[in-house]
Amino acid sequence: MTERAERRGRGARSARREEAAQAHGAPYIVRNIPTYDILSEENLLRIEHTADRILAEIGIEFRDDPVALDHWKRAGAKVDGLLVRFEPGMLREIVSSAPAEFTQYARNPENNVQIGGRNVVFAPAYGSPFVMDLDKGRRYGTLEDFRNLIKLAQSSPWLHHSGGTICEPVDVPVNKRHLDMVYSHIRYSDHPFMGSVTAEERAEDSIEMARILFGADFVDRNCVILGNVNVNSPLVWDGTMTNSLRAYARANQAAVIVPFILGGAMGPVTNAGAIAQSYAETLAGCALTQLERKGAPVIFGNFLSSMSLRSGSPTFGTPEPAIGSMVIGQLARRLKLPLRCAGNFSNSKLPDGQAMQEGLMSMLSAVHCGANFILHSAGFLDGLLSMSYEKFVMDADLCGALHSYLAGVTVDDNSLAFDAFEEVGPGSHFLGSAHTMRNYQTAFWDSALSDNEPFEKWSGEGGSTDIAARANRQWKKVLAEYQAPPLDEAVDEALRDFVARKKAAVDDAWY
Amino acid sequence: MTERAERRGRGARSARREEAAQAHGAPYIVRNIPTYDILSEENLLRIEHTADRILAEIGIEFRDDPVALDHWKRAGAKVDGLLVRFEPGMLREIVSSAPAEFTQYARNPENNVQIGGRNVVFAPAYGSPFVMDLDKGRRYGTLEDFRNLIKLAQSSPWLHHSGGTICEPVDVPVNKRHLDMVYSHIRYSDHPFMGSVTAEERAEDSIEMARILFGADFVDRNCVILGNVNVNSPLVWDGTMTNSLRAYARANQAAVIVPFILGGAMGPVTNAGAIAQSYAETLAGCALTQLERKGAPVIFGNFLSSMSLRSGSPTFGTPEPAIGSMVIGQLARRLKLPLRCAGNFSNSKLPDGQAMQEGLMSMLSAVHCGANFILHSAGFLDGLLSMSYEKFVMDADLCGALHSYLAGVTVDDNSLAFDAFEEVGPGSHFLGSAHTMRNYQTAFWDSALSDNEPFEKWSGEGGSTDIAARANRQWKKVLAEYQAPPLDEAVDEALRDFVARKKAAVDDAWY
């Protein structure tokens, strides 16, 4: 950790402690518990060795991107048509120039986040074409939904990042959507955000809007926008993605490199093999950013998933990807790269028990594996296809609990409380003791959505609600009370001009 | 681990692998992932040191049990009226005679469980006065409910143990209840079970019934029944509990020693202090079993809980107890005692998202902290007050997922799947590959209750159900299909005679 990061970390910790009492979050979490390392050195080496063999003997195809192929040739890889093969160790050497930790700046500097090291950043879910709520059910997402979800994220004390394609605004043409999305993040949130990757020029537009907001010089020197790029697993990088990846790297912005591997379909049905493949694919993407611009920030990403034997459907929040994520974390730390891994996933179509059980199993794996940037921390239902308004606020509340979880157990004279035992002694109680009075306000996480009343009160004045019904009330209240953070008028106008100009220059395209 | 235990472990592992394909469970789990150790040696020592000071300077009261006070005097503790003080290290020395691992025998030897070491045993929740289901809501538990819940546990491939007071059969007099409970466990289950602790003679009756089942000699040499005894925190052991504790130890049966500490009430509001207290209280109870009978099996137990600042109600499934459990696990392993810790707890009154989120956070902490005997693995809602039929089958299904979770990541040539990459190559898929065909049946946990269908199918023929509705159908189906395991007629008659005789000997008492 750099000295600067450590200063930030310390600041964040003490600030967090103070703010916790007022139910405010921290700009990001500095974890105070270790990662959960489940695999031996010997087995990690076997996985790395298999990844090396995949890279050297099978290779990865890079389609529709001659510049990428040129990069590989110059770096000494074996290029045979579109197929690129890499000598063992070559990619690890290349990625060693990427920073182990970096700051992503927000337009409100209090919301800057530190990505890498012991830091944890929660960002909303990303990419659903549908939205759902308990009143109106499931429908295609719109720009209004997109803005609503940004407002919910901005209003939560427990989410640190505005995310990116928080839902697909399907009512806006595909080739203009990115402009409205990036503008909405800037306008309705003052947290860090992500840009488009669906075409190189859309990535460039996203970065250009960041330049309007932060200034071109600042952007060239600092990370202010992330782009999440996917591998076309198994072992294919498409040009759309590598062109966007290179656009972000060229601008010194961080690409997040993510294979999505559904075991048995895009990768082997066994965890160790899927992990080896994922490692190989991500490593190649991370290395490509360094060939485009040495020292550019990059995030080592991963998304393992499983399959139902009965239906052939993908399954989420199951034990195998959760446990596999812990291994991914161990491998990423050996590379000294910031990690994005797992998130809050469920295949349930409702914010029910299945949704929260699957979501938490997956989310805790992200927390345990040491992920630094946890995309998909809030909102997903329906196997990634829908953003649920209720689930969003339930997950954000869970993120609050995870702030307390990651704070671990403090061991000092105050927390050991020997004075309390002297005061209370056997057979009495601690309710009014000096130690309790001194500590109770910050002692325990207090959920805004969980019901902890006695049964009689819950079933009486409580109205016998389940948590989904309480979440339904909650998101409406939050939206009603939302106030946009102030934005400099000149910057706002420049951004709106840019969007208008770009939109006017091309015809609508809907696919 | 003894050689015998290791043999068992290996047997269980290979058996489990085979049986997994047929959706059968194992008699118990041998964990293949490490425990999650979150605290440094230095901080563990500070907690132990505080516990030592509590034991030496504050002391513990032992009420209404002169024999216990005699034991302590002879062992060299300072006894001052009811207050007993212990020199640092004295209790650790005494408990060193307790076994690190032992077998609890079941009447069906295939269901014997190994408690301690790397073994994990799931047992149902314990002690609720109420039961609830979606049809009839919440009401007092009856003997019929008690039997139904045993049948559900017996029918689940993922629960290893029949538990004890699976609910309170409130329709049976308090002083006769234990006879019907123990008989029901023996009659309707062939898994290991627990006996009564609410009075010394009820503990003795429970053990006597075990002697009828297993033979007196066998019982004197082997553990066949557990008794769960609670500390009256802070720092008081009541005679009812120590008399029962000593009855189990005297008979060479395992007492489970459990303080229930609600932080801020029965213990300090800070985790480190509550852990130190809990450690001290449990250690004293474990030591007392060894003074009653050196070498008797005993389980180091723990139950941390938190409090809502808004309502003053206890809260469950919150982050602080979850994270505190990991520390308890580290401390128990330093004592080389089998551990009971955490379980599946929630304050929700419905099997909803809150229930499963809180339940899983708590349950995963039990799994991560290395608990060997996980009481309360299934059924609790309503802050320990109610057993829910739906939650029971949902939790049992989760226990199935945890079998896969605890199996970790296998790393060998088959799982690394290099042959699959050679077969498939870039840009294809693994669906029909030889590796997938060879491995798919055992690759992924497949929940019996989760919905993984596409939205259209779920909302069409699926009936738009939530998991609670599916669980409601499930428990009814299981009860309808339940078949009692065969029980030797002569044994059954002897047990029924014993129960009838004991019941006839006293008048009903209802409190």
Side-chain angles (χ1 to χ4, degrees):
Chain A
M1 205 188 284
T2 61
E3 197 196 67
R4 180 197 194 137
E6 207 169 353
R7 275 209 316 277
R8 269 172 194 290
R10 282 188 198 138
R13 265 194 295 271
S14 70
R16 196 161 64 249
R17 189 171 296 269
E18 255 174 63
E19 290 180 327
Q22 304 149 49
H24 289 133
Y28 56 91
I29 299 171
V30 183
R31 63 186 302 138
N32 195 33
I33 57 172
T35 54
Y36 192 8
D37 294 343
I38 65 161
L39 223 54
S40 66
E41 173 82 6
E42 182 196 342
N43 280 332
L44 293 174
L45 285 172
R46 288 194 72 178
I47 293 177
E48 278 183 6
H49 175 68
T50 302
D52 283 353
R53 284 191 69 195
I54 293 170
L55 289 164
E57 299 174 35
I58 314 280
I60 296 182
E61 274 189 25
F62 285 81
R63 297 177 178 167
D64 303 317
D65 187 353
V67 177
L69 292 175
D70 267 4
H71 279 330
W72 291 127
K73 273 177 208 154
R74 268 183 283 120
K78 281 186 231 162
V79 179
D80 185 6
L82 303 177
L83 191 67
V84 185
R85 292 196 187 87
F86 313 85
E87 284 301 309
M90 172 191 164
L91 294 177
R92 277 193 287 276
E93 174 61 29
I94 295 173
V95 300
S96 67
S97 57
E101 186 174 331
F102 63 91
T103 305
Q104 184 186 358
Y105 289 84
R107 70 176 176 92
N108 178 349
E110 288 182 11
N111 294 329
N112 294 349
V113 296
Q114 195 67 13
I115 297 180
R118 294 178 68 86
N119 308 300
V120 181
V121 172
F122 293 143
Y126 182 112
S128 294
F130 299 103
V131 297
M132 45 170 68
D133 65 58
L134 290 182
D135 305 308
K136 291 187 278 181
R138 186 206 210 217
R139 70 273 181 188
Y140 278 106
T142 64
L143 190 56
E144 191 191 342
D145 291 310
F146 189 94
R147 289 174 181 156
N148 283 341
L149 291 162
I150 289 175
K151 292 174 184 176
L152 291 179
Q154 166 73 12
S155 304
S156 168
W158 313 118
L159 295 172
H160 311 119
H161 202 278
S162 197
T165 308
I166 197 165
C167 71
E168 283 288 346
V170 171
D171 53 343
V172 182
V174 169
N175 62 340
K176 299 178 177 178
R177 209 173 272 177
H178 64 290
L179 300 163
D180 287 332
M181 290 199 281
V182 172
Y183 177 76
S184 299
H185 278 297
I186 296 172
R187 182 72 194 84
Y188 298 105
S189 170
D190 60 0
H191 284 78
F193 60 91
M194 305 170 81
S196 177
V197 297
T198 54
E200 186 174 9
E201 68 271 20
R202 296 176 200 155
E204 298 279 16
D205 284 349
S206 303
I207 297 164
E208 192 55 34
M209 291 175 76
R211 290 192 184 105
I212 294 171
L213 180 63
F214 289 96
D217 278 359
F218 189 86
V219 171
D220 191 55
R221 286 180 286 109
N222 298 290
C223 180
V224 299
I225 188 166
L226 306 182
N228 192 73
V229 294
N230 285 118
V231 186
N232 185 357
S233 303
L235 303 175
V236 173
W237 270 100
D238 287 330
T240 307
M241 288 292 122
T242 53
N243 277 295
S244 292
L245 172 163
R246 291 190 298 100
Y248 279 90
R250 202 157 57 237
N252 203 24
Q253 304 305 302
V256 192
I257 313 290
V258 191
F260 169 65
I261 297 182
L262 174 59
M266 298 90 112
V269 78
T270 49
N271 236 337
I275 291 167
Q277 174 191 340
S278 175
Y279 177 87
E281 292 172 343
T282 303
L283 193 56
C286 290
L288 187 57
T289 67
Q290 299 305 299
L291 298 180
E292 183 75 18
R293 178 164 172 168
K294 197 169 175 175
V298 64
I299 299 178
F300 186 96
N302 176 264
F303 192 142
L304 294 174
S305 185
S306 51
M307 197 195 287
S308 163
L309 301 180
R310 283 178 295 169
S311 67
S313 302
T315 51
F316 298 97
T318 47
E320 295 82 7
I323 214 80
S325 296
M326 257 78 94
V327 178
I328 295 282
Q330 290 181 270
L331 293 169
R333 277 188 291 287
R334 291 161 74 89
L335 293 170
K336 299 190 174 56
L337 291 177
L339 174 66
R340 180 209 142 183
C341 191
N344 189 320
F345 311 123
S346 172
N347 220 337
S348 180
K349 319 302 180 288
L350 293 168
D352 65 347
Q354 177 185 344
M356 295 314 278
Q357 177 191 311
E358 291 177 345
L360 180 57
M361 181 168 282
S362 176
M363 189 65 182
L364 271 181
S365 81
V367 159
H368 290 148
C369 81
N372 304 110
F373 177 67
I374 306 183
L375 193 62
H376 311 313
S377 288
F380 265 156
L381 280 182
D382 189 17
L384 321 188
L385 290 177
S386 296
M387 278 294 272
S388 155
Y389 278 73
E390 287 81 16
K391 181 92 175 346
F392 193 95
V393 294
M394 289 158 72
D395 289 343
D397 189 70
L398 171 61
C399 285
L402 294 174
H403 279 69
S404 296
Y405 190 89
L406 282 159
V409 174
T410 303
V411 181
D412 57 19
D413 283 343
N414 176 59
S415 62
L416 286 165
F418 190 74
D419 59 322
F421 295 107
E422 289 183 309
E423 182 185 345
V424 174
S428 187
H429 65 75
F430 292 73
L431 286 169
S433 75
H435 180 267
T436 302
M437 297 314 288
R438 204 163 69 229
N439 289 283
Y440 81 95
Q441 280 184 306
T442 53
F444 298 124
W445 161 246
D446 209 358
S447 161
L449 291 175
S450 282
D451 171 80
N452 291 306
E453 300 294 347
F455 184 89
E456 293 69 22
K457 192 162 178 191
W458 167 80
S459 60
E461 66 195 82
S464 304
T465 55
D466 67 5
I467 193 170
R470 297 190 293 274
N472 180 270
R473 285 201 297 244
Q474 172 86 348
W475 69 256
K476 290 172 184 168
K477 181 167 179 286
V478 170
L479 286 185
E481 292 172 357
Y482 167 84
Q483 292 193 317
L487 177 63
D488 182 272
E489 291 257 347
V491 169
D492 192 16
E493 200 173 307
L495 286 167
R496 280 187 282 117
D497 275 1
F498 180 85
V499 170
R501 244 184 313 120
K502 282 282 170 177
K503 282 189 171 180
V506 289
D507 292 335
D508 290 354
W510 288 96
Y511 51 86
Chain B
M1 202 187 285
T2 61
E3 196 196 66
R4 181 200 192 132
E6 207 168 352
R7 274 208 316 277
R8 268 172 195 293
R10 283 191 196 136
R13 265 195 295 271
S14 69
R16 195 162 65 249
R17 189 171 294 269
E18 257 174 62
E19 290 179 327
Q22 304 150 49
H24 289 132
Y28 57 90
I29 299 171
V30 183
R31 63 186 301 137
N32 194 33
I33 58 173
T35 55
Y36 191 7
D37 295 343
I38 65 161
L39 222 54
S40 66
E41 172 81 6
E42 183 196 341
N43 280 332
L44 292 174
L45 285 171
R46 288 193 73 178
I47 293 177
E48 277 182 6
H49 175 69
T50 302
D52 283 352
R53 285 191 67 195
I54 293 170
L55 289 164
E57 300 173 36
I58 314 280
I60 296 182
E61 275 189 26
F62 285 80
R63 297 177 179 168
D64 303 318
D65 187 353
V67 178
L69 292 174
D70 267 4
H71 279 331
W72 291 126
K73 272 177 211 156
R74 267 182 285 120
K78 282 186 230 163
V79 179
D80 185 7
L82 302 178
L83 191 68
V84 185
R85 293 196 187 87
F86 312 85
E87 284 301 309
M90 173 191 163
L91 295 176
R92 278 192 287 277
E93 174 60 30
I94 295 174
V95 300
S96 67
S97 57
E101 185 174 331
F102 63 90
T103 305
Q104 185 186 358
Y105 289 84
R107 72 176 175 93
N108 178 349
E110 288 182 11
N111 295 329
N112 294 350
V113 296
Q114 195 67 13
I115 298 180
R118 294 178 68 86
N119 308 299
V120 181
V121 172
F122 293 143
Y126 181 113
S128 294
F130 299 103
V131 297
M132 45 170 68
D133 65 58
L134 290 182
D135 306 307
K136 291 187 277 182
R138 186 207 210 217
R139 71 273 181 187
Y140 278 107
T142 64
L143 190 57
E144 191 191 342
D145 291 309
F146 190 94
R147 289 175 181 155
N148 284 341
L149 291 162
I150 289 175
K151 292 174 185 177
L152 291 180
Q154 166 73 11
S155 304
S156 169
W158 313 118
L159 295 171
H160 311 119
H161 202 279
S162 197
T165 308
I166 198 163
C167 71
E168 282 287 347
V170 171
D171 54 343
V172 181
V174 168
N175 61 341
K176 300 178 178 179
R177 208 173 272 176
H178 63 291
L179 299 163
D180 287 332
M181 290 199 280
V182 173
Y183 177 75
S184 299
H185 278 296
I186 296 172
R187 183 71 194 84
Y188 298 105
S189 170
D190 60 0
H191 284 77
F193 60 91
M194 305 171 80
S196 177
V197 296
T198 54
E200 187 175 9
E201 67 271 21
R202 296 176 200 154
E204 298 280 15
D205 284 349
S206 303
I207 298 164
E208 193 54 35
M209 291 175 76
R211 289 192 185 106
I212 294 171
L213 180 63
F214 289 96
D217 278 0
F218 189 86
V219 172
D220 191 56
R221 287 180 286 110
N222 298 289
C223 180
V224 299
I225 188 167
L226 306 181
N228 192 73
V229 294
N230 285 118
V231 186
N232 185 356
S233 303
L235 303 174
V236 173
W237 269 99
D238 287 329
T240 308
M241 288 292 122
T242 53
N243 277 295
S244 292
L245 171 162
R246 291 191 298 99
Y248 279 90
R250 203 156 56 237
N252 204 24
Q253 304 305 303
V256 192
I257 312 292
V258 191
F260 170 65
I261 298 182
L262 174 59
M266 297 89 112
V269 78
T270 48
N271 236 337
I275 291 167
Q277 174 190 340
S278 174
Y279 177 87
E281 293 172 343
T282 303
L283 194 55
C286 290
L288 188 56
T289 67
Q290 300 305 299
L291 298 181
E292 183 74 19
R293 178 165 172 168
K294 196 169 175 176
V298 63
I299 299 177
F300 186 96
N302 176 264
F303 192 142
L304 294 174
S305 186
S306 52
M307 197 195 285
S308 164
L309 301 180
R310 283 178 294 168
S311 66
S313 302
T315 51
F316 298 97
T318 47
E320 296 82 7
I323 213 81
S325 296
M326 256 79 93
V327 179
I328 295 282
Q330 292 181 271
L331 293 169
R333 277 187 292 287
R334 292 161 74 89
L335 294 170
K336 299 190 174 56
L337 290 177
L339 174 66
R340 180 209 141 181
C341 190
N344 189 320
F345 311 124
S346 171
N347 221 337
S348 180
K349 318 303 179 288
L350 293 168
D352 66 347
Q354 176 185 345
M356 294 315 278
Q357 177 191 312
E358 292 177 344
L360 181 58
M361 181 168 283
S362 176
M363 189 65 184
L364 271 181
S365 80
V367 159
H368 290 148
C369 80
N372 303 110
F373 177 66
I374 306 182
L375 193 61
H376 311 313
S377 287
F380 265 155
L381 279 182
D382 188 17
L384 320 187
L385 291 176
S386 296
M387 277 294 271
S388 154
Y389 278 72
E390 286 82 16
K391 180 92 175 345
F392 192 95
V393 294
M394 289 159 72
D395 289 344
D397 190 69
L398 171 62
C399 286
L402 294 174
H403 279 68
S404 297
Y405 190 89
L406 282 158
V409 174
T410 303
V411 180
D412 57 18
D413 284 343
N414 176 59
S415 62
L416 286 164
F418 190 74
D419 59 322
F421 295 107
E422 290 183 308
E423 182 185 346
V424 174
S428 187
H429 65 74
F430 291 73
L431 286 170
S433 76
H435 180 267
T436 301
M437 296 315 288
R438 205 164 66 230
N439 289 282
Y440 82 95
Q441 280 184 305
T442 53
F444 298 125
W445 161 246
D446 208 359
S447 161
L449 290 174
S450 282
D451 172 80
N452 291 305
E453 300 294 346
F455 184 89
E456 293 70 20
K457 192 162 178 192
W458 167 81
S459 60
E461 65 194 83
S464 304
T465 55
D466 67 6
I467 192 170
R470 297 190 294 272
N472 180 269
R473 284 200 299 244
Q474 172 86 348
W475 69 255
K476 290 172 185 168
K477 181 168 179 286
V478 170
L479 286 185
E481 292 172 357
Y482 168 83
Q483 291 192 318
L487 177 63
D488 183 272
E489 291 258 346
V491 169
D492 192 16
E493 199 173 308
L495 286 167
R496 280 188 280 117
D497 275 1
F498 180 85
V499 170
R501 244 184 314 123
K502 282 282 170 176
K503 282 189 172 180
V506 289
D507 291 335
D508 290 355
W510 287 96
Y511 51 87

